[in-house]
Amino acid sequence: MATEGLDIKLPASLAAERQGDVAMLRLTRAHKRNALDDETIIGIDTFFTNLPDGIGAVLLAGEGEHFSAGLDLSELQERDVKQGIAHSGLWHRAFQKIQFGKVPTVAVLHGAVVGGGLELAAAAHVRVAERSAYYALPEGSRGIYVGGGGSVRLPRLIGVARMMDMMLTGRTYSAEEGQTMGLTTYLVEPGKGYAKGLELAHRIATNAPLSNFAVMQALPRIAESDPATGYAMEELMSAISQADPEAKARLKAFLEKRGPKVKRT
């Protein structure tokens, strides 16, 4: 399937294109290990805000040898407390556009997935790691603290104790360890991540849009609510999705043996 450009104005640190119903966003600061500066974060916000109609999923990846080595520390030198709060808020808004955006995002991870790069990856819905990937949160050794939503998202993936250990000791986890502890859900050989991520993104894009919406928007909130509230939200979301015309058409196709069956892969 051919790729084509996307009409979204982005900084030079990002590149976007589409392949059918999947949009691809790449970090292109390979010379800086894809460190995330303010311009890049604003560009990420712009991209996810302006996704065109017809896109059903996003693939997020990094060029060069690394996904992202995190925050561009050169931007921290002259920032006071007020500016620091605003800066963290900038990251929060951008990454919220990923986690609670229009469509699901698949992140492909390789090389350094460190600090803010790990926070960016955590905002995605599915994470594919190549065996070259490694994970770290070096903020403690640099006298700073996570500011891209890591305190919220990462403990839900790996637990408070493990994140605390990473920040206090500078511990680095391998791709295999990250897979075992829940940072990623797919592990592939070096050079195979992009193809696997694209395959998954295309598969996700074929789902009913309302079902994808429910998984992105309702599931995380249900999981964090008290049981009674969660059950009530699930009942509503289940009823709404079943009543959708596309769901009815898909169910009819399945019952008439025109739809795919679940098979072991």
Side-chain angles (χ1 to χ4, degrees):
M1 188 182 297
T3 61
E4 57 184 281
L6 276 177
D7 188 21
I8 303 176
K9 189 174 182 179
L10 297 174
S13 57
L14 294 168
E17 55 188 353
R18 70 180 294 172
Q19 187 183 93
D21 50 10
V22 173
M24 294 91 87
L25 180 66
R26 291 176 287 112
L27 307 174
T28 59
R29 298 184 82 202
H31 63 290
K32 296 274 287 184
R33 302 208 305 169
N34 289 323
L36 302 169
D37 59 4
D38 285 357
E39 186 178 48
T40 302
I41 298 299
I42 293 170
I44 290 172
D45 190 316
T46 299
F47 173 84
F48 282 94
T49 299
N50 294 284
L51 281 174
D53 294 338
I55 295 298
V58 169
L59 181 66
L60 174 64
E63 288 188 352
E65 297 180 3
H66 305 281
F67 174 72
S68 175
L71 170 68
D72 189 334
L73 294 175
S74 66
E75 294 192 340
L76 284 183
Q77 297 180 41
E78 301 299 331
R79 192 171 285 146
D80 61 22
V81 172
K82 182 178 179 181
Q83 292 169 328
I85 292 172
H87 180 259
S88 183
L90 173 70
W91 284 54
H92 290 164
R93 288 189 296 275
F95 292 1
Q96 283 283 96
K97 297 284 181 67
I98 302 174
Q99 184 179 7
F100 296 109
K102 298 177 180 179
V103 297
T105 296
V106 178
V108 177
L109 312 178
H110 72 293
V113 189
V114 173
L118 182 53
E119 292 183 282
L120 172 59
H125 304 92
V126 176
R127 284 167 291 279
V128 177
E130 296 187 2
R131 291 189 185 276
S132 65
Y134 59 93
Y135 313 100
L137 294 170
E139 284 81 358
S141 65
R142 293 169 181 162
I144 57 177
Y145 188 76
V146 292
S151 298
V152 177
R153 294 187 182 95
L154 286 169
R156 287 168 168 76
L157 293 174
I158 63 175
V160 174
R162 187 171 277 119
M163 181 175 176
M164 191 178 293
D165 178 44
M166 290 178 73
M167 294 189 72
L168 289 175
T169 69
R171 181 173 182 172
T172 299
Y173 283 103
S174 67
E176 291 78 10
E177 290 170 322
Q179 175 79 2
T180 299
M181 67 188 188
L183 274 175
T184 58
T185 45
Y186 295 86
L187 182 62
V188 299
E189 297 303 317
K192 303 293 185 181
Y194 197 87
K196 181 64 177 179
L198 190 58
E199 172 200 331
L200 293 170
H202 277 297
R203 187 185 308 172
I204 290 167
T206 66
N207 294 339
L210 187 55
S211 294
N212 281 349
F213 173 87
V215 173
M216 291 175 59
Q217 308 290 340
L219 177 58
R221 294 176 169 97
I222 290 171
E224 294 171 11
S225 67
D226 64 272
T229 301
Y231 290 135
M233 290 177 65
E234 182 179 88
E235 289 167 4
L236 288 171
M237 199 68 251
S238 178
I240 291 168
S241 63
Q242 290 174 27
D244 183 56
E246 183 163 349
K248 292 181 182 298
R250 289 177 182 234
L251 288 170
K252 182 180 180 182
F254 178 80
L255 293 172
E256 294 176 353
K257 302 187 184 303
R258 292 184 287 109
K261 292 184 178 181
V262 176
K263 297 180 180 180
R264 182 175 181 177
T265 59

